[in-house]
Amino acid sequence: MPFPAFATPTILGALRRHYRDHGWLVRVPRHVHEFAVAERTAREGLVARLGRQPSPAEVARELGVSLDSLLDAEDALHARNTWSLSAESDGGSALGDRLGREDRHLAAVDDRVAVTDALRGIEDSARELLYLYFFEERSQADIAERLGVSQMQVSRLLGAVLRRLRSRVGPR
């Protein structure tokens, strides 16, 4: 066998592997690279047979893979194209400027979870008292009239419930 007949496919294969493995900005597994070729070949064959663009389900069936696997691989294949966050977008602003910001309520999530857990352990009457006072913003006198007790009793009950909740939530 002459050397060029051996060397040419070997060198071309090595070059293809290099560009396949190092040519993408985001690293994806080798089987995804190989899948891209099979997917493109199957899609072209289906276009020729059907005379139209095949649906993703038809391509998956042709390749003998699940639709989820096909869609996952197609998502990974989009890793070839990346954009800088400082690049201008269609609206003229930087792409990074269009990304979300930190939710201002995020810091309160831990507190809300702790209070929710603490509220699960109290009786319904105490929960109703808290609801009337904090959510309906009723006065202690109004709550006392509704419950048929004195305003002083409402004040004591409210204090006791809040102390129990604080002890369950712990120091913050």
Side-chain angles (χ1 to χ4, degrees), residues 16-148:
R16 285 188 189 112
R17 270 191 305 283
H18 172 79
Y19 284 114
R20 179 184 62 215
D21 292 345
H22 301 289
W24 293 18
L25 293 173
V26 177
R27 176 79 174 105
V28 296
R30 175 170 283 177
H31 73 275
V32 173
H33 293 276
E34 294 165 355
F35 183 79
V37 174
E39 191 261 347
R40 189 177 320 113
T41 302
R43 188 174 297 279
E44 289 170 359
L46 285 169
V47 166
R49 278 200 325 256
L50 301 173
R52 61 173 171 77
Q53 284 295 326
S55 70
E58 291 170 324
V59 175
R61 206 170 23 256
E62 179 78 10
L63 290 169
V65 298
S66 70
L67 181 59
D68 286 339
S69 296
L70 174 77
L71 296 176
D72 288 344
E74 285 181 351
D75 285 343
L77 291 174
H78 292 299
R80 290 181 180 168
N81 305 318
T82 58
W83 296 275
S84 168
L85 293 176
S86 60
E88 274 193 20
S89 63
D90 295 336
S93 61
L95 182 60
D97 294 339
R98 295 177 40 204
L99 295 177
R101 304 261 185 259
E102 185 175 315
D103 186 344
R104 60 187 169 92
H105 300 292
L106 187 61
V109 169
D110 290 336
D111 293 337
R112 293 176 70 92
V113 168
V115 169
T116 300
D117 288 343
L119 285 171
R120 284 193 186 111
I122 65 169
E123 53 280 343
D124 291 340
S125 60
R127 193 175 299 123
E128 180 184 8
L129 177 64
L130 292 172
Y131 181 79
L132 293 171
Y133 188 75
F134 288 106
F135 290 95
E136 288 191 6
E137 298 180 356
R138 293 182 183 231
S139 68
Q140 289 182 4
D142 189 27
I143 296 170
E145 186 178 315
R146 179 176 174 156
L147 298 178

